[in-house]
Amino acid sequence: MAEEHDQERAHPATPRRLEQAREEGQVARSRELTTALLLLAASGAALWAGPQIGAWAGGLLRRGLVFDRAAAFEPATALARAGHLAGDAFAVLAPGLLLLAAVAVAAPLALGGWLFTFKPLEPDLQRLAPGRWLRQLFSLHGLAELAKALAKATLVTAAALASAWALREEIVLLLSARAGDAIAQAAHIAGLGFLAAAGAMLLIAAADVPAQLWRFRSELRMSADELRREMKETEGDPHVRQRLRSQQRALARRRMMADVPTADVVVTNPQHYAVALAWKETAMRAPRVVAKGADLVAARIRELARESGVPVVEAPPLARALHQHAEIGDDIPAALYAAVAQVLAWTYALRAGRAPAAGPGTIDVPADMDPQAGGSAA
């Protein structure tokens, strides 16, 4: 069943699925990478600030061990002294602690980025189910985590032992050194030990980071049904989209038809195409297409034009060119200026009673603008 489930979820996660997983607190993380970076930070702090820490700690130790007899028998004085010493000790250790805290916060961001959500804190009774624990414990992922933990313990232990053996002489000399020098040398030895452990952890992290990224992507894989459901949620049902497009086309057609009576002329094919043109010299740079259509829509445009008294011109090449190269609301192409100007001139003369009603005569259209140039007129 598990194999069938994996085969069904064979599609990579979509951006929306990744975004939803992130909102739920699911991001790729590597504890080994965080541990390695913390060890590197601790090593750097110990090696760089070891002498200063030794000097401060030595002075602090001397101050703590030197006191008069009366102070030893005054509880209030002793408590106040202990508080001052604790504050001084914290001041000495604060820079290193702040560095480790900053690395602990920033290290996970290197892999999964910044994420702040309360989703993982929401109560989930399924997390308390013993069966879920057992499945996780004996799953392939659980076995991989066990093997990784054993490898991590083995490498880190080996690195620590090798570091201690290499520094055995320095460790022995700590017994005879002064307090400040001993603390500084101990910080130096600890820094080298942290560095060796960090090297071992970096080897583990180098293998763990790609594995965590692969596991994260694998767990978010989607089945074909999930992809279809997401598509419906984001884009809507195909039937609904088709109805919406149909309604939008009908609404646009009604708005287009309402503009036909405002046109100056309608150029027809005469049967297949009809294009309504308007020209307002003070408001337009060029004549504009206010309506166009083919077949039944063209017939309705011609009918509205005749009912509204808009002149109708039969000019098949020009009608085809306008229908092909100009959209509703656009200015006509510059290549058709001369032909449309001839039609508009006839229209104005017709309205003034100075032009024949039969039409403006032959209208020349550039061959590259007529989609049927060289063929039979439709």
PDB file of all heavy atoms in Angstrom, residues 202-238:
ATOM      1  N   LEU A 202      30.279  18.839  10.471  1.00  0.00           N
ATOM      2  CA  LEU A 202      30.130  19.354   9.108  1.00  0.00           C
ATOM      3  C   LEU A 202      30.079  18.224   8.092  1.00  0.00           C
ATOM      4  O   LEU A 202      29.362  18.312   7.085  1.00  0.00           O
ATOM      5  CB  LEU A 202      31.272  20.311   8.777  1.00  0.00           C
ATOM      6  CG  LEU A 202      31.182  21.703   9.404  1.00  0.00           C
ATOM      7  CD1 LEU A 202      32.435  22.507   9.098  1.00  0.00           C
ATOM      8  CD2 LEU A 202      29.947  22.439   8.889  1.00  0.00           C
ATOM      9  N   LEU A 203      30.833  17.151   8.336  1.00  0.00           N
ATOM     10  CA  LEU A 203      30.755  15.990   7.448  1.00  0.00           C
ATOM     11  C   LEU A 203      29.350  15.390   7.478  1.00  0.00           C
ATOM     12  O   LEU A 203      28.795  15.009   6.435  1.00  0.00           O
ATOM     13  CB  LEU A 203      31.789  14.940   7.876  1.00  0.00           C
ATOM     14  CG  LEU A 203      33.258  15.308   7.651  1.00  0.00           C
ATOM     15  CD1 LEU A 203      34.165  14.202   8.193  1.00  0.00           C
ATOM     16  CD2 LEU A 203      33.536  15.540   6.166  1.00  0.00           C
ATOM     17  N   ILE A 204      28.783  15.299   8.688  1.00  0.00           N
ATOM     18  CA  ILE A 204      27.422  14.759   8.801  1.00  0.00           C
ATOM     19  C   ILE A 204      26.419  15.715   8.162  1.00  0.00           C
ATOM     20  O   ILE A 204      25.490  15.297   7.460  1.00  0.00           O
ATOM     21  CB  ILE A 204      27.084  14.511  10.281  1.00  0.00           C
ATOM     22  CG1 ILE A 204      28.054  13.486  10.878  1.00  0.00           C
ATOM     23  CG2 ILE A 204      25.642  14.036  10.439  1.00  0.00           C
ATOM     24  CD1 ILE A 204      27.887  13.280  12.362  1.00  0.00           C
ATOM     25  N   ALA A 205      26.592  17.032   8.395  1.00  0.00           N
ATOM     26  CA  ALA A 205      25.660  18.005   7.823  1.00  0.00           C
ATOM     27  C   ALA A 205      25.723  18.010   6.301  1.00  0.00           C
ATOM     28  O   ALA A 205      24.702  18.221   5.634  1.00  0.00           O
ATOM     29  CB  ALA A 205      25.966  19.398   8.366  1.00  0.00           C
ATOM     30  N   ALA A 206      26.907  17.780   5.736  1.00  0.00           N
ATOM     31  CA  ALA A 206      27.043  17.750   4.276  1.00  0.00           C
ATOM     32  C   ALA A 206      26.187  16.664   3.652  1.00  0.00           C
ATOM     33  O   ALA A 206      25.712  16.798   2.516  1.00  0.00           O
ATOM     34  CB  ALA A 206      28.510  17.556   3.894  1.00  0.00           C
ATOM     35  N   ALA A 207      25.997  15.571   4.388  1.00  0.00           N
ATOM     36  CA  ALA A 207      25.119  14.503   3.900  1.00  0.00           C
ATOM     37  C   ALA A 207      23.679  14.720   4.332  1.00  0.00           C
ATOM     38  O   ALA A 207      22.742  14.317   3.630  1.00  0.00           O
ATOM     39  CB  ALA A 207      25.625  13.153   4.410  1.00  0.00           C
ATOM     40  N   ASP A 208      23.469  15.378   5.483  1.00  0.00           N
ATOM     41  CA  ASP A 208      22.120  15.526   6.022  1.00  0.00           C
ATOM     42  C   ASP A 208      21.319  16.608   5.302  1.00  0.00           C
ATOM     43  O   ASP A 208      20.112  16.446   5.098  1.00  0.00           O
ATOM     44  CB  ASP A 208      22.198  15.849   7.517  1.00  0.00           C
ATOM     45  CG  ASP A 208      20.826  15.930   8.156  1.00  0.00           C
ATOM     46  OD1 ASP A 208      20.130  14.891   8.181  1.00  0.00           O
ATOM     47  OD2 ASP A 208      20.447  17.013   8.623  1.00  0.00           O
ATOM     48  N   VAL A 209      21.962  17.711   4.912  1.00  0.00           N
ATOM     49  CA  VAL A 209      21.227  18.810   4.276  1.00  0.00           C
ATOM     50  C   VAL A 209      20.565  18.364   2.975  1.00  0.00           C
ATOM     51  O   VAL A 209      19.354  18.574   2.785  1.00  0.00           O
ATOM     52  CB  VAL A 209      22.159  20.018   4.053  1.00  0.00           C
ATOM     53  CG1 VAL A 209      21.493  21.050   3.150  1.00  0.00           C
ATOM     54  CG2 VAL A 209      22.524  20.651   5.386  1.00  0.00           C
ATOM     55  N   PRO A 210      21.292  17.724   2.025  1.00  0.00           N
ATOM     56  CA  PRO A 210      20.582  17.239   0.819  1.00  0.00           C
ATOM     57  C   PRO A 210      19.503  16.217   1.148  1.00  0.00           C
ATOM     58  O   PRO A 210      18.446  16.200   0.495  1.00  0.00           O
ATOM     59  CB  PRO A 210      21.711  16.613  -0.024  1.00  0.00           C
ATOM     60  CG  PRO A 210      22.963  17.227   0.475  1.00  0.00           C
ATOM     61  CD  PRO A 210      22.738  17.462   1.936  1.00  0.00           C
ATOM     62  N   ALA A 211      19.760  15.364   2.156  1.00  0.00           N
ATOM     63  CA  ALA A 211      18.755  14.364   2.525  1.00  0.00           C
ATOM     64  C   ALA A 211      17.497  15.027   3.067  1.00  0.00           C
ATOM     65  O   ALA A 211      16.373  14.614   2.748  1.00  0.00           O
ATOM     66  CB  ALA A 211      19.337  13.399   3.554  1.00  0.00           C
ATOM     67  N   GLN A 212      17.653  16.078   3.880  1.00  0.00           N
ATOM     68  CA  GLN A 212      16.487  16.771   4.425  1.00  0.00           C
ATOM     69  C   GLN A 212      15.712  17.498   3.340  1.00  0.00           C
ATOM     70  O   GLN A 212      14.473  17.515   3.345  1.00  0.00           O
ATOM     71  CB  GLN A 212      16.922  17.753   5.516  1.00  0.00           C
ATOM     72  CG  GLN A 212      17.470  17.101   6.773  1.00  0.00           C
ATOM     73  CD  GLN A 212      16.440  16.254   7.484  1.00  0.00           C
ATOM     74  OE1 GLN A 212      15.237  16.500   7.405  1.00  0.00           O
ATOM     75  NE2 GLN A 212      16.902  15.231   8.189  1.00  0.00           N
ATOM     76  N   LEU A 213      16.419  18.114   2.402  1.00  0.00           N
ATOM     77  CA  LEU A 213      15.737  18.781   1.288  1.00  0.00           C
ATOM     78  C   LEU A 213      14.961  17.776   0.445  1.00  0.00           C
ATOM     79  O   LEU A 213      13.813  18.028   0.042  1.00  0.00           O
ATOM     80  CB  LEU A 213      16.751  19.532   0.420  1.00  0.00           C
ATOM     81  CG  LEU A 213      17.411  20.758   1.065  1.00  0.00           C
ATOM     82  CD1 LEU A 213      18.505  21.300   0.161  1.00  0.00           C
ATOM     83  CD2 LEU A 213      16.369  21.835   1.331  1.00  0.00           C
ATOM     84  N   TRP A 214      15.600  16.620   0.170  1.00  0.00           N
ATOM     85  CA  TRP A 214      14.905  15.589  -0.619  1.00  0.00           C
ATOM     86  C   TRP A 214      13.685  15.068   0.137  1.00  0.00           C
ATOM     87  O   TRP A 214      12.616  14.874  -0.451  1.00  0.00           O
ATOM     88  CB  TRP A 214      15.868  14.445  -0.906  1.00  0.00           C
ATOM     89  CG  TRP A 214      15.192  13.303  -1.621  1.00  0.00           C
ATOM     90  CD1 TRP A 214      14.977  13.165  -2.959  1.00  0.00           C
ATOM     91  CD2 TRP A 214      14.608  12.143  -1.004  1.00  0.00           C
ATOM     92  NE1 TRP A 214      14.308  12.005  -3.226  1.00  0.00           N
ATOM     93  CE2 TRP A 214      14.062  11.349  -2.040  1.00  0.00           C
ATOM     94  CE3 TRP A 214      14.501  11.704   0.307  1.00  0.00           C
ATOM     95  CZ2 TRP A 214      13.416  10.141  -1.795  1.00  0.00           C
ATOM     96  CZ3 TRP A 214      13.852  10.510   0.563  1.00  0.00           C
ATOM     97  CH2 TRP A 214      13.326   9.741  -0.488  1.00  0.00           C
ATOM     98  N   ARG A 215      13.840  14.826   1.434  1.00  0.00           N
ATOM     99  CA  ARG A 215      12.726  14.305   2.236  1.00  0.00           C
ATOM    100  C   ARG A 215      11.584  15.321   2.297  1.00  0.00           C
ATOM    101  O   ARG A 215      10.406  14.952   2.182  1.00  0.00           O
ATOM    102  CB  ARG A 215      13.212  13.986   3.642  1.00  0.00           C
ATOM    103  CG  ARG A 215      12.115  13.508   4.592  1.00  0.00           C
ATOM    104  CD  ARG A 215      12.705  13.013   5.906  1.00  0.00           C
ATOM    105  NE  ARG A 215      11.663  12.713   6.859  1.00  0.00           N
ATOM    106  CZ  ARG A 215      11.227  13.556   7.778  1.00  0.00           C
ATOM    107  NH1 ARG A 215      11.771  14.763   7.869  1.00  0.00           N
ATOM    108  NH2 ARG A 215      10.265  13.217   8.607  1.00  0.00           N
ATOM    109  N   PHE A 216      11.917  16.593   2.450  1.00  0.00           N
ATOM    110  CA  PHE A 216      10.887  17.634   2.506  1.00  0.00           C
ATOM    111  C   PHE A 216      10.094  17.677   1.205  1.00  0.00           C
ATOM    112  O   PHE A 216       8.854  17.698   1.213  1.00  0.00           O
ATOM    113  CB  PHE A 216      11.551  18.975   2.782  1.00  0.00           C
ATOM    114  CG  PHE A 216      10.615  20.144   2.742  1.00  0.00           C
ATOM    115  CD1 PHE A 216       9.686  20.342   3.752  1.00  0.00           C
ATOM    116  CD2 PHE A 216      10.667  21.052   1.693  1.00  0.00           C
ATOM    117  CE1 PHE A 216       8.815  21.419   3.715  1.00  0.00           C
ATOM    118  CE2 PHE A 216       9.795  22.126   1.654  1.00  0.00           C
ATOM    119  CZ  PHE A 216       8.874  22.310   2.662  1.00  0.00           C
ATOM    120  N   ARG A 217      10.804  17.668   0.075  1.00  0.00           N
ATOM    121  CA  ARG A 217      10.113  17.689  -1.221  1.00  0.00           C
ATOM    122  C   ARG A 217       9.331  16.398  -1.440  1.00  0.00           C
ATOM    123  O   ARG A 217       8.241  16.416  -2.026  1.00  0.00           O
ATOM    124  CB  ARG A 217      11.136  17.880  -2.346  1.00  0.00           C
ATOM    125  CG  ARG A 217      11.864  19.215  -2.293  1.00  0.00           C
ATOM    126  CD  ARG A 217      11.004  20.316  -2.829  1.00  0.00           C
ATOM    127  NE  ARG A 217      11.690  21.599  -2.805  1.00  0.00           N
ATOM    128  CZ  ARG A 217      11.208  22.703  -3.361  1.00  0.00           C
ATOM    129  NH1 ARG A 217      10.045  22.662  -3.978  1.00  0.00           N
ATOM    130  NH2 ARG A 217      11.872  23.837  -3.289  1.00  0.00           N
ATOM    131  N   SER A 218       9.877  15.279  -0.986  1.00  0.00           N
ATOM    132  CA  SER A 218       9.204  14.001  -1.183  1.00  0.00           C
ATOM    133  C   SER A 218       7.905  13.935  -0.399  1.00  0.00           C
ATOM    134  O   SER A 218       6.892  13.423  -0.889  1.00  0.00           O
ATOM    135  CB  SER A 218      10.141  12.863  -0.761  1.00  0.00           C
ATOM    136  OG  SER A 218       9.506  11.618  -0.893  1.00  0.00           O
ATOM    137  N   GLU A 219       7.906  14.447   0.830  1.00  0.00           N
ATOM    138  CA  GLU A 219       6.692  14.405   1.646  1.00  0.00           C
ATOM    139  C   GLU A 219       5.602  15.309   1.096  1.00  0.00           C
ATOM    140  O   GLU A 219       4.424  15.081   1.381  1.00  0.00           O
ATOM    141  CB  GLU A 219       7.026  14.810   3.076  1.00  0.00           C
ATOM    142  CG  GLU A 219       7.838  13.776   3.838  1.00  0.00           C
ATOM    143  CD  GLU A 219       8.139  14.221   5.248  1.00  0.00           C
ATOM    144  OE1 GLU A 219       7.917  15.424   5.539  1.00  0.00           O
ATOM    145  OE2 GLU A 219       8.595  13.395   6.063  1.00  0.00           O
ATOM    146  N   LEU A 220       5.975  16.317   0.333  1.00  0.00           N
ATOM    147  CA  LEU A 220       4.986  17.248  -0.217  1.00  0.00           C
ATOM    148  C   LEU A 220       4.567  16.906  -1.637  1.00  0.00           C
ATOM    149  O   LEU A 220       3.819  17.677  -2.254  1.00  0.00           O
ATOM    150  CB  LEU A 220       5.540  18.675  -0.183  1.00  0.00           C
ATOM    151  CG  LEU A 220       5.764  19.277   1.203  1.00  0.00           C
ATOM    152  CD1 LEU A 220       6.299  20.692   1.079  1.00  0.00           C
ATOM    153  CD2 LEU A 220       4.482  19.272   2.019  1.00  0.00           C
ATOM    154  N   ARG A 221       5.038  15.771  -2.165  1.00  0.00           N
ATOM    155  CA  ARG A 221       4.607  15.384  -3.506  1.00  0.00           C
ATOM    156  C   ARG A 221       3.097  15.229  -3.549  1.00  0.00           C
ATOM    157  O   ARG A 221       2.463  14.896  -2.551  1.00  0.00           O
ATOM    158  CB  ARG A 221       5.289  14.079  -3.923  1.00  0.00           C
ATOM    159  CG  ARG A 221       6.759  14.255  -4.288  1.00  0.00           C
ATOM    160  CD  ARG A 221       7.367  12.950  -4.755  1.00  0.00           C
ATOM    161  NE  ARG A 221       7.235  11.896  -3.748  1.00  0.00           N
ATOM    162  CZ  ARG A 221       7.687  10.661  -3.897  1.00  0.00           C
ATOM    163  NH1 ARG A 221       8.283  10.318  -5.012  1.00  0.00           N
ATOM    164  NH2 ARG A 221       7.537   9.772  -2.932  1.00  0.00           N
ATOM    165  N   MET A 222       2.531  15.420  -4.724  1.00  0.00           N
ATOM    166  CA  MET A 222       1.079  15.459  -4.880  1.00  0.00           C
ATOM    167  C   MET A 222       0.628  14.410  -5.884  1.00  0.00           C
ATOM    168  O   MET A 222       1.358  14.070  -6.810  1.00  0.00           O
ATOM    169  CB  MET A 222       0.640  16.852  -5.333  1.00  0.00           C
ATOM    170  CG  MET A 222       1.091  17.980  -4.423  1.00  0.00           C
ATOM    171  SD  MET A 222       0.697  19.617  -5.083  1.00  0.00           S
ATOM    172  CE  MET A 222      -1.102  19.585  -4.976  1.00  0.00           C
ATOM    173  N   SER A 223      -0.570  13.936  -5.662  1.00  0.00           N
ATOM    174  CA  SER A 223      -1.181  13.005  -6.608  1.00  0.00           C
ATOM    175  C   SER A 223      -1.910  13.787  -7.695  1.00  0.00           C
ATOM    176  O   SER A 223      -2.093  15.003  -7.602  1.00  0.00           O
ATOM    177  CB  SER A 223      -2.158  12.089  -5.879  1.00  0.00           C
ATOM    178  OG  SER A 223      -3.247  12.829  -5.370  1.00  0.00           O
ATOM    179  N   ALA A 224      -2.339  13.068  -8.719  1.00  0.00           N
ATOM    180  CA  ALA A 224      -3.066  13.724  -9.806  1.00  0.00           C
ATOM    181  C   ALA A 224      -4.382  14.312  -9.304  1.00  0.00           C
ATOM    182  O   ALA A 224      -4.788  15.402  -9.723  1.00  0.00           O
ATOM    183  CB  ALA A 224      -3.318  12.727 -10.938  1.00  0.00           C
ATOM    184  N   ASP A 225      -5.055  13.604  -8.377  1.00  0.00           N
ATOM    185  CA  ASP A 225      -6.308  14.123  -7.818  1.00  0.00           C
ATOM    186  C   ASP A 225      -6.068  15.409  -7.035  1.00  0.00           C
ATOM    187  O   ASP A 225      -6.865  16.354  -7.112  1.00  0.00           O
ATOM    188  CB  ASP A 225      -6.956  13.073  -6.910  1.00  0.00           C
ATOM    189  CG  ASP A 225      -7.488  11.889  -7.694  1.00  0.00           C
ATOM    190  OD1 ASP A 225      -7.740  12.057  -8.912  1.00  0.00           O
ATOM    191  OD2 ASP A 225      -7.645  10.804  -7.106  1.00  0.00           O
ATOM    192  N   GLU A 226      -4.977  15.452  -6.278  1.00  0.00           N
ATOM    193  CA  GLU A 226      -4.671  16.668  -5.520  1.00  0.00           C
ATOM    194  C   GLU A 226      -4.367  17.837  -6.449  1.00  0.00           C
ATOM    195  O   GLU A 226      -4.760  18.972  -6.173  1.00  0.00           O
ATOM    196  CB  GLU A 226      -3.488  16.414  -4.590  1.00  0.00           C
ATOM    197  CG  GLU A 226      -3.825  15.494  -3.422  1.00  0.00           C
ATOM    198  CD  GLU A 226      -2.608  15.123  -2.607  1.00  0.00           C
ATOM    199  OE1 GLU A 226      -1.491  15.113  -3.170  1.00  0.00           O
ATOM    200  OE2 GLU A 226      -2.771  14.826  -1.408  1.00  0.00           O
ATOM    201  N   LEU A 227      -3.685  17.560  -7.551  1.00  0.00           N
ATOM    202  CA  LEU A 227      -3.416  18.620  -8.521  1.00  0.00           C
ATOM    203  C   LEU A 227      -4.708  19.156  -9.126  1.00  0.00           C
ATOM    204  O   LEU A 227      -4.875  20.368  -9.290  1.00  0.00           O
ATOM    205  CB  LEU A 227      -2.493  18.100  -9.623  1.00  0.00           C
ATOM    206  CG  LEU A 227      -1.023  17.911  -9.261  1.00  0.00           C
ATOM    207  CD1 LEU A 227      -0.276  17.266 -10.419  1.00  0.00           C
ATOM    208  CD2 LEU A 227      -0.380  19.229  -8.893  1.00  0.00           C
ATOM    209  N   ARG A 228      -5.632  18.236  -9.457  1.00  0.00           N
ATOM    210  CA  ARG A 228      -6.910  18.676 -10.028  1.00  0.00           C
ATOM    211  C   ARG A 228      -7.709  19.494  -9.019  1.00  0.00           C
ATOM    212  O   ARG A 228      -8.311  20.515  -9.372  1.00  0.00           O
ATOM    213  CB  ARG A 228      -7.705  17.458 -10.511  1.00  0.00           C
ATOM    214  CG  ARG A 228      -7.215  16.880 -11.825  1.00  0.00           C
ATOM    215  CD  ARG A 228      -8.222  15.891 -12.390  1.00  0.00           C
ATOM    216  NE  ARG A 228      -8.273  14.688 -11.568  1.00  0.00           N
ATOM    217  CZ  ARG A 228      -7.540  13.607 -11.787  1.00  0.00           C
ATOM    218  NH1 ARG A 228      -6.677  13.602 -12.796  1.00  0.00           N
ATOM    219  NH2 ARG A 228      -7.649  12.541 -11.019  1.00  0.00           N
ATOM    220  N   ARG A 229      -7.717  19.036  -7.756  1.00  0.00           N
ATOM    221  CA  ARG A 229      -8.456  19.788  -6.734  1.00  0.00           C
ATOM    222  C   ARG A 229      -7.854  21.180  -6.540  1.00  0.00           C
ATOM    223  O   ARG A 229      -8.594  22.161  -6.406  1.00  0.00           O
ATOM    224  CB  ARG A 229      -8.452  19.029  -5.410  1.00  0.00           C
ATOM    225  CG  ARG A 229      -9.392  17.837  -5.385  1.00  0.00           C
ATOM    226  CD  ARG A 229      -9.653  17.405  -3.961  1.00  0.00           C
ATOM    227  NE  ARG A 229      -8.435  17.005  -3.275  1.00  0.00           N
ATOM    228  CZ  ARG A 229      -7.954  15.771  -3.251  1.00  0.00           C
ATOM    229  NH1 ARG A 229      -8.602  14.803  -3.912  1.00  0.00           N
ATOM    230  NH2 ARG A 229      -6.864  15.488  -2.592  1.00  0.00           N
ATOM    231  N   GLU A 230      -6.533  21.258  -6.532  1.00  0.00           N
ATOM    232  CA  GLU A 230      -5.907  22.569  -6.359  1.00  0.00           C
ATOM    233  C   GLU A 230      -6.216  23.476  -7.541  1.00  0.00           C
ATOM    234  O   GLU A 230      -6.454  24.672  -7.363  1.00  0.00           O
ATOM    235  CB  GLU A 230      -4.397  22.397  -6.200  1.00  0.00           C
ATOM    236  CG  GLU A 230      -3.675  23.726  -6.009  1.00  0.00           C
ATOM    237  CD  GLU A 230      -2.183  23.559  -5.824  1.00  0.00           C
ATOM    238  OE1 GLU A 230      -1.791  22.838  -4.882  1.00  0.00           O
ATOM    239  OE2 GLU A 230      -1.420  24.147  -6.617  1.00  0.00           O
ATOM    240  N   MET A 231      -6.218  22.906  -8.738  1.00  0.00           N
ATOM    241  CA  MET A 231      -6.518  23.712  -9.916  1.00  0.00           C
ATOM    242  C   MET A 231      -7.941  24.258  -9.845  1.00  0.00           C
ATOM    243  O   MET A 231      -8.201  25.417 -10.182  1.00  0.00           O
ATOM    244  CB  MET A 231      -6.324  22.890 -11.185  1.00  0.00           C
ATOM    245  CG  MET A 231      -6.473  23.695 -12.464  1.00  0.00           C
ATOM    246  SD  MET A 231      -6.085  22.713 -13.929  1.00  0.00           S
ATOM    247  CE  MET A 231      -4.353  22.360 -13.610  1.00  0.00           C
ATOM    248  N   LYS A 232      -8.873  23.411  -9.363  1.00  0.00           N
ATOM    249  CA  LYS A 232     -10.247  23.877  -9.225  1.00  0.00           C
ATOM    250  C   LYS A 232     -10.357  24.973  -8.172  1.00  0.00           C
ATOM    251  O   LYS A 232     -11.114  25.924  -8.322  1.00  0.00           O
ATOM    252  CB  LYS A 232     -11.167  22.707  -8.852  1.00  0.00           C
ATOM    253  CG  LYS A 232     -11.436  21.747  -9.996  1.00  0.00           C
ATOM    254  CD  LYS A 232     -12.420  20.675  -9.580  1.00  0.00           C
ATOM    255  CE  LYS A 232     -12.733  19.726 -10.735  1.00  0.00           C
ATOM    256  NZ  LYS A 232     -13.711  18.674 -10.334  1.00  0.00           N
ATOM    257  N   GLU A 233      -9.589  24.832  -7.075  1.00  0.00           N
ATOM    258  CA  GLU A 233      -9.647  25.832  -6.013  1.00  0.00           C
ATOM    259  C   GLU A 233      -9.054  27.153  -6.449  1.00  0.00           C
ATOM    260  O   GLU A 233      -9.544  28.217  -6.074  1.00  0.00           O
ATOM    261  CB  GLU A 233      -8.904  25.321  -4.773  1.00  0.00           C
ATOM    262  CG  GLU A 233      -9.597  24.145  -4.093  1.00  0.00           C
ATOM    263  CD  GLU A 233      -8.746  23.568  -2.970  1.00  0.00           C
ATOM    264  OE1 GLU A 233      -7.639  24.093  -2.757  1.00  0.00           O
ATOM    265  OE2 GLU A 233      -9.189  22.608  -2.307  1.00  0.00           O
ATOM    266  N   THR A 234      -7.982  27.098  -7.234  1.00  0.00           N
ATOM    267  CA  THR A 234      -7.301  28.336  -7.628  1.00  0.00           C
ATOM    268  C   THR A 234      -7.895  28.961  -8.880  1.00  0.00           C
ATOM    269  O   THR A 234      -7.954  30.184  -8.990  1.00  0.00           O
ATOM    270  CB  THR A 234      -5.804  28.054  -7.873  1.00  0.00           C
ATOM    271  OG1 THR A 234      -5.672  26.997  -8.842  1.00  0.00           O
ATOM    272  CG2 THR A 234      -5.129  27.638  -6.586  1.00  0.00           C
ATOM    273  N   GLU A 235      -8.331  28.141  -9.813  1.00  0.00           N
ATOM    274  CA  GLU A 235      -8.831  28.669 -11.085  1.00  0.00           C
ATOM    275  C   GLU A 235     -10.328  28.471 -11.268  1.00  0.00           C
ATOM    276  O   GLU A 235     -10.908  29.009 -12.198  1.00  0.00           O
ATOM    277  CB  GLU A 235      -8.082  28.005 -12.249  1.00  0.00           C
ATOM    278  CG  GLU A 235      -6.580  28.223 -12.219  1.00  0.00           C
ATOM    279  CD  GLU A 235      -5.894  27.583 -13.400  1.00  0.00           C
ATOM    280  OE1 GLU A 235      -6.619  27.069 -14.284  1.00  0.00           O
ATOM    281  OE2 GLU A 235      -4.659  27.589 -13.450  1.00  0.00           O
ATOM    282  N   GLY A 236     -10.948  27.704 -10.372  1.00  0.00           N
ATOM    283  CA  GLY A 236     -12.369  27.473 -10.489  1.00  0.00           C
ATOM    284  C   GLY A 236     -12.685  26.281 -11.375  1.00  0.00           C
ATOM    285  O   GLY A 236     -11.849  25.775 -12.109  1.00  0.00           O
ATOM    286  N   ASP A 237     -13.914  25.825 -11.312  1.00  0.00           N
ATOM    287  CA  ASP A 237     -14.362  24.699 -12.114  1.00  0.00           C
ATOM    288  C   ASP A 237     -14.340  25.077 -13.600  1.00  0.00           C
ATOM    289  O   ASP A 237     -14.747  26.183 -13.973  1.00  0.00           O
ATOM    290  CB  ASP A 237     -15.781  24.303 -11.687  1.00  0.00           C
ATOM    291  CG  ASP A 237     -16.239  23.040 -12.379  1.00  0.00           C
ATOM    292  OD1 ASP A 237     -16.798  23.154 -13.480  1.00  0.00           O
ATOM    293  OD2 ASP A 237     -16.020  21.944 -11.822  1.00  0.00           O
ATOM    294  N   PRO A 238     -13.870  24.175 -14.490  1.00  0.00           N
ATOM    295  CA  PRO A 238     -13.823  24.504 -15.927  1.00  0.00           C
ATOM    296  C   PRO A 238     -15.178  24.889 -16.495  1.00  0.00           C
ATOM    297  O   PRO A 238     -15.266  25.788 -17.344  1.00  0.00           O
ATOM    298  CB  PRO A 238     -13.280  23.214 -16.561  1.00  0.00           C
ATOM    299  CG  PRO A 238     -12.544  22.524 -15.458  1.00  0.00           C
ATOM    300  CD  PRO A 238     -13.273  22.863 -14.203  1.00  0.00           C
TER     301      PRO A 238
END
